[in-house]
Amino acid sequence: MTTASPRIQIASLDTPLYQRADGATLMCVYVMVILLTPARLILRGLPMSLTPADVLGLFTITLWFCAHFTTTLGIAKGPNAVRRGMFTYGFALLFVYGYATFAYLPSDELNSADHSLVLVVANLGLALGMVDGVRGRERLDFVLKAMVVAGVGMAFIGGVQWISGIDLTVYMELPILHANDVVVQAVEARSGIQRVPATTGHPIEFGVIMAMILPFAVHYGFHARDRGESPRRWWIAAVMIAMGLMFAVSRSGILAIATVGIVLFIGWSGRRRLQAMGVVGAFLVVVQVLFPGLLGTFYNLFTSIGSDDSVRYRVHDYPNATAEFLRRPWFGRGIGTWYAPKHQVFDNQYLLTLVEAGIVGITVLVGIVLIAAYGASKARYLSVDPRDRNLALTLAATAIVPLVGAVTFDLLAFPQVTALMFFLIGACGAMLRIVEDERKRPRQQAPSAPRWDRPVARR
Protein backbone atom coordinates (compact mmCIF):
# COMPACT_ATOMS: atom_id res chain seq x y z
CA MET A 1 0.00 0.00 0.00
CA THR A 2 2.70 2.43 0.89
CA THR A 3 4.72 1.76 -2.27
CA ALA A 4 1.81 1.87 -4.72
CA SER A 5 0.24 5.15 -3.68
CA PRO A 6 3.11 7.44 -4.80
CA ARG A 7 3.04 5.89 -8.28
CA ILE A 8 -0.67 6.54 -8.59
CA GLN A 9 -0.20 10.11 -7.46
CA ILE A 10 2.62 10.74 -9.93
CA ALA A 11 0.65 9.28 -12.81
CA SER A 12 -2.37 11.41 -11.97
CA LEU A 13 -0.27 14.57 -11.88
CA ASP A 14 1.95 14.01 -14.90
CA THR A 15 -0.50 12.24 -17.21
CA PRO A 16 -3.84 14.05 -17.48
CA LEU A 17 -6.82 11.85 -18.25
CA TYR A 18 -8.19 14.24 -20.82
CA GLN A 19 -7.24 17.31 -22.81
CA ARG A 20 -9.61 20.23 -22.77
CA ALA A 21 -10.80 21.30 -26.21
CA ASP A 22 -8.99 24.40 -27.42
CA GLY A 23 -7.94 26.15 -30.60
CA ALA A 24 -5.80 23.19 -31.64
CA THR A 25 -8.85 20.93 -31.39
CA LEU A 26 -10.76 23.20 -33.76
CA MET A 27 -7.81 23.28 -36.16
CA CYS A 28 -7.68 19.47 -36.19
CA VAL A 29 -11.34 19.31 -37.15
CA TYR A 30 -10.69 21.98 -39.76
CA VAL A 31 -7.81 20.19 -41.48
CA MET A 32 -9.73 16.91 -41.49
CA VAL A 33 -12.69 18.62 -43.16
CA ILE A 34 -10.42 20.35 -45.68
CA LEU A 35 -8.68 17.19 -46.87
CA LEU A 36 -11.34 14.50 -46.51
CA THR A 37 -14.45 16.28 -47.76
CA PRO A 38 -14.76 15.88 -51.56
CA ALA A 39 -14.13 19.22 -53.26
CA ARG A 40 -17.34 19.08 -55.31
CA LEU A 41 -19.61 18.97 -52.20
CA ILE A 42 -21.11 22.22 -50.91
CA LEU A 43 -23.64 22.98 -48.18
CA ARG A 44 -27.31 23.10 -48.98
CA GLY A 45 -29.54 26.09 -48.33
CA LEU A 46 -26.92 28.85 -48.55
CA PRO A 47 -27.13 31.88 -50.87
CA MET A 48 -23.67 31.13 -52.28
CA SER A 49 -21.55 28.05 -52.85
CA LEU A 50 -19.66 27.33 -49.64
CA THR A 51 -17.96 24.13 -48.59
CA PRO A 52 -17.94 22.90 -44.96
CA ALA A 53 -14.34 24.12 -44.72
CA ASP A 54 -15.40 27.63 -45.80
CA VAL A 55 -18.07 27.76 -43.10
CA LEU A 56 -15.59 26.52 -40.50
CA GLY A 57 -13.19 29.27 -41.57
CA LEU A 58 -15.87 31.94 -41.11
CA PHE A 59 -16.76 30.41 -37.74
CA THR A 60 -13.09 30.43 -36.72
CA ILE A 61 -12.49 34.08 -37.57
CA THR A 62 -15.64 34.98 -35.63
CA LEU A 63 -14.32 33.10 -32.59
CA TRP A 64 -10.91 34.67 -33.07
CA PHE A 65 -12.40 38.16 -33.16
CA CYS A 66 -14.55 37.60 -30.06
CA ALA A 67 -11.75 35.89 -28.12
CA HIS A 68 -9.53 38.96 -28.47
CA PHE A 69 -12.03 40.91 -26.35
CA THR A 70 -11.28 38.63 -23.39
CA THR A 71 -8.25 37.61 -21.36
CA THR A 72 -9.48 34.22 -20.14
CA LEU A 73 -9.89 32.12 -23.31
CA GLY A 74 -6.19 31.42 -23.84
CA ILE A 75 -5.83 33.04 -27.25
CA ALA A 76 -2.39 34.45 -27.97
CA LYS A 77 -1.94 38.20 -28.00
CA GLY A 78 0.92 40.43 -28.94
CA PRO A 79 2.88 41.03 -32.15
CA ASN A 80 3.67 38.29 -34.64
CA ALA A 81 5.24 38.75 -38.07
CA VAL A 82 2.97 36.24 -39.80
CA ARG A 83 -0.17 37.74 -38.26
CA ARG A 84 0.85 41.20 -39.44
CA GLY A 85 1.30 39.72 -42.90
CA MET A 86 -2.22 38.27 -42.75
CA PHE A 87 -3.65 41.66 -41.78
CA THR A 88 -1.82 43.34 -44.65
CA TYR A 89 -3.06 40.70 -47.10
CA GLY A 90 -6.66 41.03 -45.92
CA PHE A 91 -6.78 44.82 -45.99
CA ALA A 92 -5.09 44.95 -49.40
CA LEU A 93 -7.61 42.58 -50.98
CA LEU A 94 -10.45 44.43 -49.27
CA PHE A 95 -9.20 47.64 -50.89
CA VAL A 96 -8.93 45.88 -54.26
CA TYR A 97 -12.51 44.65 -53.84
CA GLY A 98 -13.73 48.15 -52.96
CA TYR A 99 -11.88 49.68 -55.89
CA ALA A 100 -13.45 47.22 -58.33
CA THR A 101 -17.00 47.47 -56.97
CA PHE A 102 -16.89 51.27 -56.76
CA ALA A 103 -17.28 51.29 -60.53
CA TYR A 104 -19.79 49.30 -62.53
CA LEU A 105 -19.48 45.52 -62.62
CA PRO A 106 -21.82 43.11 -64.39
CA SER A 107 -24.02 41.26 -61.94
CA ASP A 108 -22.30 37.92 -62.53
CA GLU A 109 -18.85 39.37 -61.91
CA LEU A 110 -20.10 41.26 -58.85
CA ASN A 111 -21.52 38.05 -57.39
CA SER A 112 -18.24 36.27 -58.09
CA ALA A 113 -16.30 39.08 -56.42
CA ASP A 114 -18.55 38.87 -53.33
CA HIS A 115 -17.99 35.12 -53.19
CA SER A 116 -14.22 35.52 -53.53
CA LEU A 117 -14.11 38.06 -50.70
CA VAL A 118 -15.98 35.64 -48.41
CA LEU A 119 -13.43 32.94 -49.25
CA VAL A 120 -10.57 35.34 -48.46
CA VAL A 121 -12.08 36.00 -45.02
CA ALA A 122 -12.54 32.24 -44.43
CA ASN A 123 -8.91 31.52 -45.30
CA LEU A 124 -7.74 34.37 -43.08
CA GLY A 125 -9.76 32.80 -40.27
CA LEU A 126 -7.89 29.54 -40.76
CA ALA A 127 -4.47 31.23 -40.71
CA LEU A 128 -5.26 33.46 -37.71
CA GLY A 129 -6.75 30.51 -35.84
CA MET A 130 -3.47 28.67 -36.29
CA VAL A 131 -1.26 31.64 -35.34
CA ASP A 132 -3.13 32.66 -32.17
CA GLY A 133 -5.18 29.58 -31.26
CA VAL A 134 -2.54 26.83 -31.22
CA ARG A 135 -0.57 27.34 -28.00
CA GLY A 136 2.45 25.25 -27.18
CA ARG A 137 4.68 22.82 -29.02
CA GLU A 138 2.63 19.74 -28.10
CA ARG A 139 -0.57 21.25 -29.47
CA LEU A 140 1.14 22.27 -32.69
CA ASP A 141 2.43 18.72 -33.09
CA PHE A 142 -1.08 17.47 -32.42
CA VAL A 143 -2.50 19.58 -35.26
CA LEU A 144 0.24 18.71 -37.73
CA LYS A 145 -0.08 15.01 -36.95
CA ALA A 146 -3.81 15.29 -37.63
CA MET A 147 -2.91 16.80 -41.01
CA VAL A 148 -0.67 13.81 -41.77
CA VAL A 149 -3.44 11.38 -40.79
CA ALA A 150 -5.89 13.22 -43.04
CA GLY A 151 -3.30 13.12 -45.81
CA VAL A 152 -3.07 9.34 -45.41
CA GLY A 153 -6.85 9.14 -45.77
CA MET A 154 -6.72 11.23 -48.94
CA ALA A 155 -3.89 9.08 -50.31
CA PHE A 156 -5.86 5.91 -49.55
CA ILE A 157 -8.87 7.20 -51.48
CA GLY A 158 -6.60 8.11 -54.38
CA GLY A 159 -4.95 4.70 -54.27
CA VAL A 160 -8.31 2.93 -54.45
CA GLN A 161 -9.25 5.10 -57.44
CA TRP A 162 -5.94 4.35 -59.20
CA ILE A 163 -5.76 0.61 -58.53
CA SER A 164 -9.40 -0.44 -58.78
CA GLY A 165 -11.13 2.48 -60.50
CA ILE A 166 -13.64 2.72 -57.61
CA ASP A 167 -14.44 6.27 -56.54
CA LEU A 168 -15.09 6.22 -52.78
CA THR A 169 -16.07 9.91 -52.78
CA VAL A 170 -19.50 9.07 -54.24
CA TYR A 171 -20.31 7.40 -50.90
CA MET A 172 -19.18 10.41 -48.82
CA GLU A 173 -22.09 12.74 -49.57
CA LEU A 174 -23.96 13.71 -46.39
CA PRO A 175 -27.61 14.87 -46.35
CA ILE A 176 -26.55 18.48 -45.68
CA LEU A 177 -24.26 18.46 -48.74
CA HIS A 178 -24.83 18.31 -52.45
CA ALA A 179 -22.58 18.33 -55.50
CA ASN A 180 -21.88 21.59 -57.31
CA ASP A 181 -21.83 22.03 -61.08
CA VAL A 182 -18.11 21.20 -61.44
CA VAL A 183 -17.52 17.78 -62.99
CA VAL A 184 -14.68 15.83 -61.39
CA GLN A 185 -13.45 12.71 -63.18
CA ALA A 186 -12.37 10.00 -60.75
CA VAL A 187 -9.83 8.60 -63.21
CA GLU A 188 -8.12 10.42 -66.07
CA ALA A 189 -5.59 9.14 -68.58
CA ARG A 190 -2.25 10.82 -69.24
CA SER A 191 0.46 9.36 -71.48
CA GLY A 192 -1.21 5.98 -71.26
CA ILE A 193 -1.23 6.02 -67.40
CA GLN A 194 -4.30 6.89 -65.39
CA ARG A 195 -4.24 9.75 -62.87
CA VAL A 196 -6.64 10.37 -60.01
CA PRO A 197 -7.78 13.35 -57.90
CA ALA A 198 -8.76 11.54 -54.64
CA THR A 199 -11.03 14.02 -52.79
CA THR A 200 -9.72 17.07 -54.65
CA GLY A 201 -11.00 18.69 -57.80
CA HIS A 202 -8.07 17.74 -60.03
CA PRO A 203 -5.00 15.45 -60.02
CA ILE A 204 -2.74 18.51 -60.05
CA GLU A 205 -4.22 19.70 -56.76
CA PHE A 206 -3.96 16.18 -55.34
CA GLY A 207 -0.28 15.91 -56.24
CA VAL A 208 0.66 19.29 -54.77
CA ILE A 209 -1.20 18.57 -51.52
CA MET A 210 0.59 15.24 -51.15
CA ALA A 211 3.91 17.01 -51.72
CA MET A 212 3.08 19.54 -48.98
CA ILE A 213 2.09 16.90 -46.40
CA LEU A 214 4.76 14.27 -47.07
CA PRO A 215 7.66 16.17 -45.37
CA PHE A 216 5.77 16.22 -42.06
CA ALA A 217 5.31 12.45 -42.07
CA VAL A 218 9.06 12.16 -42.74
CA HIS A 219 9.80 14.61 -39.90
CA TYR A 220 7.78 12.65 -37.35
CA GLY A 221 9.31 9.42 -38.63
CA PHE A 222 12.86 10.71 -38.06
CA HIS A 223 12.10 12.10 -34.59
CA ALA A 224 9.62 9.53 -33.28
CA ARG A 225 12.16 7.83 -31.02
CA ASP A 226 13.10 11.19 -29.50
CA ARG A 227 9.52 11.41 -28.27
CA GLY A 228 9.39 7.83 -27.09
CA GLU A 229 7.18 6.72 -30.01
CA SER A 230 7.53 3.99 -32.58
CA PRO A 231 8.52 5.44 -35.97
CA ARG A 232 6.85 2.61 -37.87
CA ARG A 233 3.43 4.26 -38.23
CA TRP A 234 4.94 7.50 -39.50
CA TRP A 235 7.04 5.74 -42.11
CA ILE A 236 3.96 3.80 -43.23
CA ALA A 237 2.13 7.13 -43.48
CA ALA A 238 5.03 8.61 -45.47
CA VAL A 239 4.97 5.69 -47.92
CA MET A 240 1.20 5.98 -48.42
CA ILE A 241 1.37 9.73 -49.00
CA ALA A 242 4.31 9.29 -51.40
CA MET A 243 2.28 6.70 -53.34
CA GLY A 244 -0.59 9.19 -53.50
CA LEU A 245 1.84 11.68 -55.03
CA MET A 246 2.79 9.10 -57.65
CA PHE A 247 -0.84 8.22 -58.44
CA ALA A 248 -1.58 11.89 -59.19
CA VAL A 249 0.85 11.74 -62.16
CA SER A 250 1.36 15.49 -61.99
CA ARG A 251 4.31 17.63 -63.03
CA SER A 252 3.24 20.23 -60.49
CA GLY A 253 3.39 17.65 -57.71
CA ILE A 254 6.91 16.59 -58.68
CA LEU A 255 8.06 20.22 -58.87
CA ALA A 256 6.52 20.81 -55.43
CA ILE A 257 8.28 17.87 -53.79
CA ALA A 258 11.52 18.80 -55.55
CA THR A 259 11.25 22.32 -54.09
CA VAL A 260 10.72 20.94 -50.61
CA GLY A 261 13.52 18.43 -51.07
CA ILE A 262 16.05 21.09 -52.09
CA VAL A 263 15.29 23.24 -49.04
CA LEU A 264 15.44 20.27 -46.67
CA PHE A 265 18.61 18.95 -48.28
CA ILE A 266 20.32 22.31 -47.70
CA GLY A 267 19.21 22.49 -44.07
CA TRP A 268 19.76 18.86 -43.07
CA SER A 269 22.95 17.40 -41.67
CA GLY A 270 25.16 15.16 -43.80
CA ARG A 271 23.90 12.04 -42.06
CA ARG A 272 20.28 12.98 -42.58
CA ARG A 273 20.96 13.64 -46.27
CA LEU A 274 22.39 10.15 -46.74
CA GLN A 275 19.42 8.61 -44.93
CA ALA A 276 16.97 10.56 -47.07
CA MET A 277 18.70 9.56 -50.31
CA GLY A 278 18.60 5.93 -49.25
CA VAL A 279 14.90 6.11 -48.45
CA VAL A 280 14.10 7.81 -51.76
CA GLY A 281 16.13 5.27 -53.71
CA ALA A 282 14.43 2.32 -52.03
CA PHE A 283 11.01 3.88 -52.62
CA LEU A 284 11.67 4.35 -56.34
CA VAL A 285 12.80 0.75 -56.67
CA VAL A 286 9.60 -0.47 -55.00
CA VAL A 287 7.48 1.73 -57.28
CA GLN A 288 9.24 0.39 -60.37
CA VAL A 289 8.66 -3.20 -59.25
CA LEU A 290 5.02 -2.82 -58.21
CA PHE A 291 3.89 -0.38 -60.90
CA PRO A 292 5.98 -0.82 -64.06
CA GLY A 293 5.81 2.16 -66.39
CA LEU A 294 4.81 4.71 -63.76
CA LEU A 295 8.30 6.18 -63.36
CA GLY A 296 8.66 6.20 -67.15
CA THR A 297 5.51 8.30 -67.39
CA PHE A 298 7.00 10.91 -65.07
CA TYR A 299 10.18 10.91 -67.10
CA ASN A 300 8.22 11.51 -70.30
CA LEU A 301 6.27 14.34 -68.68
CA PHE A 302 9.45 16.36 -68.34
CA THR A 303 11.29 15.29 -71.49
CA SER A 304 8.30 16.11 -73.69
CA ILE A 305 7.63 19.58 -72.33
CA GLY A 306 8.43 21.20 -75.67
CA SER A 307 5.74 19.20 -77.47
CA ASP A 308 3.19 18.93 -74.65
CA ASP A 309 -0.18 20.49 -75.53
CA SER A 310 -0.85 21.44 -71.90
CA VAL A 311 2.38 23.45 -71.76
CA ARG A 312 1.59 25.15 -75.07
CA TYR A 313 -1.84 26.08 -73.77
CA ARG A 314 -0.32 27.68 -70.68
CA VAL A 315 2.10 29.75 -72.72
CA HIS A 316 -0.13 30.95 -75.54
CA ASP A 317 -2.30 33.10 -73.27
CA TYR A 318 0.54 35.33 -72.03
CA PRO A 319 -0.16 38.15 -74.54
CA ASN A 320 -3.86 38.24 -73.58
CA ALA A 321 -3.02 38.34 -69.88
CA THR A 322 -0.49 41.13 -70.44
CA ALA A 323 -2.99 43.24 -72.37
CA GLU A 324 -5.65 42.80 -69.67
CA PHE A 325 -3.16 43.60 -66.91
CA LEU A 326 -2.05 46.84 -68.56
CA ARG A 327 -5.63 48.15 -68.51
CA ARG A 328 -5.64 48.23 -64.68
CA PRO A 329 -2.06 47.59 -63.58
CA TRP A 330 -2.24 48.61 -59.91
CA PHE A 331 -5.49 47.21 -58.52
CA GLY A 332 -6.73 44.95 -61.30
CA ARG A 333 -10.31 44.41 -62.40
CA GLY A 334 -11.46 42.81 -59.11
CA ILE A 335 -10.87 39.53 -57.29
CA GLY A 336 -12.94 36.70 -58.68
CA THR A 337 -14.09 38.63 -61.75
CA TRP A 338 -11.98 36.69 -64.26
CA TYR A 339 -13.48 33.24 -64.39
CA ALA A 340 -14.27 30.46 -66.84
CA PRO A 341 -16.12 29.97 -69.09
CA LYS A 342 -16.75 33.70 -69.49
CA HIS A 343 -13.05 34.47 -69.68
CA GLN A 344 -9.98 32.57 -70.78
CA VAL A 345 -8.33 30.27 -68.21
CA PHE A 346 -4.68 31.22 -67.67
CA ASP A 347 -3.51 28.14 -65.71
CA ASN A 348 -1.06 30.46 -63.99
CA GLN A 349 -1.88 32.07 -60.64
CA TYR A 350 0.57 34.92 -61.15
CA LEU A 351 -1.14 35.96 -64.38
CA LEU A 352 -4.58 35.57 -62.84
CA THR A 353 -3.65 37.63 -59.78
CA LEU A 354 -2.11 40.36 -61.92
CA VAL A 355 -5.32 40.60 -63.94
CA GLU A 356 -7.69 40.45 -60.97
CA ALA A 357 -5.73 42.33 -58.26
CA GLY A 358 -2.89 44.04 -60.09
CA ILE A 359 0.51 44.81 -58.65
CA VAL A 360 -0.95 45.25 -55.17
CA GLY A 361 -2.50 41.78 -55.23
CA ILE A 362 0.59 39.99 -56.51
CA THR A 363 2.75 41.79 -53.94
CA VAL A 364 0.69 40.73 -50.94
CA LEU A 365 0.25 37.18 -52.29
CA VAL A 366 4.00 36.64 -52.64
CA GLY A 367 4.55 38.61 -49.45
CA ILE A 368 2.51 36.36 -47.15
CA VAL A 369 4.36 33.28 -48.42
CA LEU A 370 7.76 34.90 -47.90
CA ILE A 371 6.76 36.18 -44.45
CA ALA A 372 5.65 32.67 -43.48
CA ALA A 373 8.97 31.23 -44.65
CA TYR A 374 10.77 34.01 -42.76
CA GLY A 375 8.80 33.24 -39.58
CA ALA A 376 9.65 29.54 -39.73
CA SER A 377 13.30 30.29 -40.53
CA LYS A 378 13.53 32.70 -37.61
CA ALA A 379 12.01 30.07 -35.31
CA ARG A 380 14.65 27.61 -36.50
CA TYR A 381 17.39 30.15 -35.80
CA LEU A 382 16.10 30.92 -32.29
CA SER A 383 15.46 27.33 -31.24
CA VAL A 384 18.11 25.03 -29.74
CA ASP A 385 16.01 21.84 -29.81
CA PRO A 386 16.94 19.67 -32.86
CA ARG A 387 13.33 18.51 -33.26
CA ASP A 388 12.00 22.05 -33.28
CA ARG A 389 14.70 23.16 -35.68
CA ASN A 390 13.79 20.39 -38.12
CA LEU A 391 10.07 21.11 -37.77
CA ALA A 392 10.69 24.80 -38.48
CA LEU A 393 12.78 23.85 -41.51
CA THR A 394 9.98 21.60 -42.75
CA LEU A 395 7.44 24.38 -42.31
CA ALA A 396 9.63 26.83 -44.23
CA ALA A 397 10.15 24.33 -47.05
CA THR A 398 6.45 23.57 -47.48
CA ALA A 399 5.41 27.20 -47.10
CA ILE A 400 7.19 28.21 -50.31
CA VAL A 401 5.58 25.46 -52.42
CA PRO A 402 2.77 27.82 -53.55
CA LEU A 403 5.36 30.10 -55.13
CA VAL A 404 6.30 27.25 -57.46
CA GLY A 405 2.81 25.82 -57.90
CA ALA A 406 1.42 29.22 -58.88
CA VAL A 407 3.49 29.05 -62.07
CA THR A 408 1.98 25.77 -63.29
CA PHE A 409 -1.72 26.20 -62.39
CA ASP A 410 -4.20 28.71 -61.00
CA LEU A 411 -3.62 27.63 -57.41
CA LEU A 412 -6.13 29.89 -55.64
CA ALA A 413 -8.94 28.53 -57.81
CA PHE A 414 -8.57 25.15 -56.05
CA PRO A 415 -10.09 25.40 -52.55
CA GLN A 416 -8.30 22.54 -50.80
CA VAL A 417 -4.73 23.44 -51.71
CA THR A 418 -5.52 27.10 -51.00
CA ALA A 419 -6.83 26.25 -47.54
CA LEU A 420 -3.80 24.05 -46.87
CA MET A 421 -1.54 26.91 -47.92
CA PHE A 422 -3.10 29.25 -45.35
CA PHE A 423 -3.09 26.45 -42.77
CA LEU A 424 0.68 26.03 -43.14
CA ILE A 425 1.24 29.80 -43.19
CA GLY A 426 -0.57 29.93 -39.87
CA ALA A 427 1.52 27.01 -38.60
CA CYS A 428 4.67 29.00 -39.39
CA GLY A 429 3.33 31.87 -37.30
CA ALA A 430 2.40 29.52 -34.46
CA MET A 431 5.89 28.01 -34.49
CA LEU A 432 7.48 31.45 -34.35
CA ARG A 433 5.24 32.52 -31.46
CA ILE A 434 6.00 29.33 -29.50
CA VAL A 435 9.76 29.77 -29.81
CA GLU A 436 9.67 33.49 -29.02
CA ASP A 437 7.47 32.92 -25.96
CA GLU A 438 9.87 30.28 -24.65
CA ARG A 439 12.79 32.65 -24.99
CA LYS A 440 10.90 35.39 -23.13
CA ARG A 441 9.62 33.15 -20.33
CA PRO A 442 12.91 32.63 -18.42
CA ARG A 443 13.46 36.37 -18.18
CA GLN A 444 9.88 37.00 -17.09
CA GLN A 445 9.90 34.21 -14.49
CA ALA A 446 13.32 34.97 -13.04
CA PRO A 447 12.71 36.03 -9.41
CA SER A 448 13.99 39.42 -8.44
CA ALA A 449 16.44 39.67 -5.59
CA PRO A 450 14.87 40.21 -2.15
CA ARG A 451 14.82 43.77 -1.03
CA TRP A 452 17.13 43.12 1.92
CA ASP A 453 19.74 41.53 -0.39
CA ARG A 454 20.03 44.57 -2.57
CA PRO A 455 22.99 46.87 -1.99
CA VAL A 456 22.13 49.97 -0.01
CA ALA A 457 23.50 53.23 -1.29
CA ARG A 458 25.62 55.03 1.26
CA ARG A 459 25.16 58.66 1.84
Side-chain angles (χ1 to χ4, degrees):
M1 295 293 294
T2 56
T3 58
S5 56
R7 295 181 182 180
I8 297 174
Q9 184 179 8
I10 291 174
S12 62
L13 291 175
D14 296 341
T15 308
L17 297 178
Y18 64 91
Q19 169 67 46
R20 183 177 179 181
D22 57 0
T25 308
L26 178 60
M27 292 299 103
C28 286
V29 175
Y30 203 152
V31 74
M32 290 284 185
V33 171
I34 289 172
L35 298 178
L36 297 181
T37 302
R40 67 176 182 274
L41 298 182
I42 58 177
L43 288 166
R44 297 178 182 271
L46 297 180
M48 63 176 60
S49 298
L50 295 177
T51 66
D54 297 332
V55 175
L56 271 176
L58 297 174
F59 176 70
T60 301
I61 198 169
T62 303
L63 287 181
W64 175 88
F65 183 79
C66 295
H68 272 285
F69 285 97
T70 72
T71 57
T72 58
L73 295 181
I75 196 167
K77 301 180 185 293
N80 183 276
V82 177
R83 188 172 68 171
R84 287 194 291 266
M86 288 294 101
F87 290 158
T88 304
Y89 176 82
F91 283 120
L93 290 192
L94 181 62
F95 184 86
V96 169
Y97 169 84
Y99 176 83
T101 55
F102 181 77
Y104 171 77
L105 278 178
S107 59
D108 58 332
E109 294 186 4
L110 180 59
N111 291 335
S112 182
D114 294 341
H115 182 251
S116 297
L117 183 63
V118 171
L119 298 183
V120 168
V121 174
N123 288 322
L124 286 176
L126 172 57
L128 293 174
M130 283 294 298
V131 173
D132 293 343
V134 179
R135 308 297 305 277
R137 180 181 296 101
E138 293 77 12
R139 302 307 287 164
L140 179 59
D141 279 334
F142 178 63
V143 177
L144 294 177
K145 288 178 180 179
M147 178 190 67
V148 173
V149 172
V152 170
M154 177 183 281
F156 175 78
I157 294 172
V160 172
Q161 290 174 341
W162 200 88
I163 295 172
S164 67
I166 299 175
D167 184 13
L168 297 179
T169 62
V170 299
Y171 305 103
M172 300 171 66
E173 184 173 337
L174 300 177
I176 60 173
L177 304 175
H178 70 97
N180 57 19
D181 299 331
V182 179
V183 178
V184 179
Q185 295 182 1
V187 179
E188 296 182 4
R190 182 166 193 170
S191 300
I193 296 292
Q194 57 191 9
R195 57 201 303 230
V196 296
T199 59
T200 67
H202 196 276
I204 292 178
E205 184 180 19
F206 178 39
V208 174
I209 288 177
M210 292 292 97
M212 295 171 74
I213 298 177
L214 176 59
F216 294 96
V218 173
H219 163 77
Y220 289 116
F222 275 131
H223 293 279
R225 297 192 186 280
D226 298 339
R227 293 179 166 86
E229 303 174 351
S230 172
R232 181 181 305 173
R233 56 181 174 177
W234 297 113
W235 288 119
I236 294 175
V239 170
M240 293 185 64
I241 295 171
M243 290 307 304
L245 172 62
M246 303 301 290
F247 293 151
V249 191
S250 168
R251 260 191 302 257
S252 299
I254 297 301
L255 290 175
I257 197 63
T259 302
V260 174
I262 291 172
V263 176
L264 294 179
F265 196 82
I266 294 173
W268 277 344
S269 63
R271 180 183 178 184
R272 181 63 54 82
R273 293 171 185 171
L274 292 176
Q275 291 174 335
M277 288 190 292
V279 171
V280 172
F283 174 77
L284 294 178
V285 171
V286 172
V287 170
Q288 181 63 27
V289 172
L290 295 180
F291 307 102
L294 185 56
L295 294 182
T297 301
F298 281 100
Y299 177 77
N300 293 331
L301 287 178
F302 288 93
T303 57
S304 62
I305 287 180
S307 58
D308 195 324
D309 292 336
S310 63
V311 176
R312 293 177 179 177
Y313 181 81
R314 284 174 169 84
V315 175
H316 90 283
D317 52 14
Y318 285 8
N320 297 334
T322 302
E324 189 65 32
F325 160 70
L326 292 176
R327 294 176 183 173
R328 303 176 183 86
W330 287 103
F331 305 110
R333 68 194 318 274
I335 56 174
T337 58
W338 189 273
Y339 63 93
K342 183 176 181 178
H343 301 289
Q344 181 181 11
V345 176
F346 292 138
D347 277 328
N348 184 311
Q349 187 58 53
Y350 292 116
L351 296 181
L352 182 60
T353 301
L354 283 172
V355 169
E356 290 189 338
I359 296 175
V360 172
I362 199 71
T363 300
V364 294
L365 175 61
V366 175
I368 59 171
V369 175
L370 295 180
I371 289 174
Y374 159 78
S377 301
K378 183 178 179 181
R380 183 173 185 266
Y381 173 76
L382 296 176
S383 178
V384 296
D385 189 333
R387 294 174 298 177
D388 292 346
R389 287 175 56 84
N390 190 67
L391 179 58
L393 177 65
T394 304
L395 285 168
T398 54
I400 64 175
V401 166
L403 293 181
V404 178
V407 178
T408 58
F409 72 111
D410 45 343
L411 184 142
L412 297 183
F414 294 86
Q416 287 167 300
V417 71
T418 301
L420 185 62
M421 179 186 78
F422 280 91
F423 174 86
L424 292 176
I425 288 174
C428 292
M431 186 72 194
L432 176 61
R433 186 184 294 281
I434 290 168
V435 174
E436 288 180 336
D437 288 348
E438 288 182 350
R439 288 177 63 88
K440 295 176 183 177
R441 192 174 298 121
R443 293 195 298 269
Q444 294 174 350
Q445 293 181 350
S448 58
R451 188 173 181 178
W452 52 82
D453 289 342
R454 297 175 185 173
V456 179
R458 296 182 179 178
R459 295 183 180 179

